[in-house]
Amino acid sequence: MTATTPTQPTAGDTPIGVGPALGTWATAWIGGSLLATPAMIAILGASLGDDLTIPQLAAASAATWAVMIVALVVASRRFGTGDPLADYGATFRPIDLAGIPLGIATQLVLVPALYMPLRGLWPDTFSNEQIEERAQDLANRAGGWLTVLLVLVVVVGAPLVEEFIYRGLLQRSVSGAVGVGFGLVSTSAWFALVHFSPVEYPGLFLAGLVFGGCVAVSGRIGPAILTHAAFNATGLIAVLQSAG
């Protein structure tokens, strides 16, 4: 009798079913984006149509993320093991550091290569100015400690929370129900759509495929978090240098 070695967990190894996962996402998104964010913006004396300052953006983002984190914890307790780190595949290994060059390459090579033919067909729609408009607006308002705050939002907070929600919760659950391929593609598409920036959809979808691919291969969101953080950091550095 020969000993067997443990297999690498797949993206479907999660005790949370697809129905509860979709319900958790909907609750988190409605509570965070449609309720907590407008409430925080109002408390800060601004409105949804305003160009938020970086501190206002950070506060609004924190309010949204708080709701999402609570939803993830509740879902873990009701539908999972009660251990959110285990339920969402949130572990890290040294190999996950490979996500850093992968994120950089995605931002500097893969996404520009994707937009190149699109820019050839629709030069006005997919110009660099249009694609980078939102990021450039934020960079223009940064400086000093505001840059540090912007880095915390873009490079730390967003990758952590988004990977827990979109890859740890949604992709792993959908993959477990209908297959890894469909889970990867559908979650990547949804990740792009909820950013509500059509000119960025192609790049966000591609980035989602890269982040999700890390989860599909490893069964964990550790490498996806580092890849996402490196991707965002590279883009932020580029727009900050442009603004400077």
Side-chain angles (χ1 to χ4, degrees), residues 83-93 96 160 163-164 168 172 219-223 225:
D83 180 354
L85 297 182
D87 289 336
Y88 305 121
T91 58
F92 291 88
R93 297 176 184 172
D96 298 347
L160 276 171
E163 290 310 310
F164 266 92
R172 283 162 52 89
R220 302 175 293 105
I221 65 170
I225 290 173

Side-chain angles (χ1 to χ4, degrees), residues 91-171:
T91 58
F92 291 88
R93 297 176 184 172
I95 189 63
D96 298 347
L97 292 173
I100 295 175
L102 178 59
I104 295 171
T106 302
Q107 181 69 259
L108 296 182
V109 180
L110 298 183
V111 170
L114 172 65
Y115 276 106
M116 191 177 299
L118 296 176
R119 189 174 297 115
L121 293 171
W122 301 284
D124 294 332
T125 300
F126 291 105
S127 66
N128 284 332
E129 291 75 16
Q130 292 292 330
I131 296 169
E132 298 173 358
E133 181 178 9
R134 292 202 305 176
Q136 196 66 60
D137 286 344
L138 286 175
N140 290 339
R141 283 175 267 164
W145 72 273
L146 293 178
T147 301
V148 176
L149 186 58
L150 184 59
V151 168
L152 291 175
V153 172
V154 174
V155 181
V156 180
L160 276 171
V161 178
E162 290 180 354
E163 290 310 310
F164 266 92
I165 283 284
Y166 289 99
R167 258 62 68 173
L169 173 69
L170 283 183
Q171 181 178 323

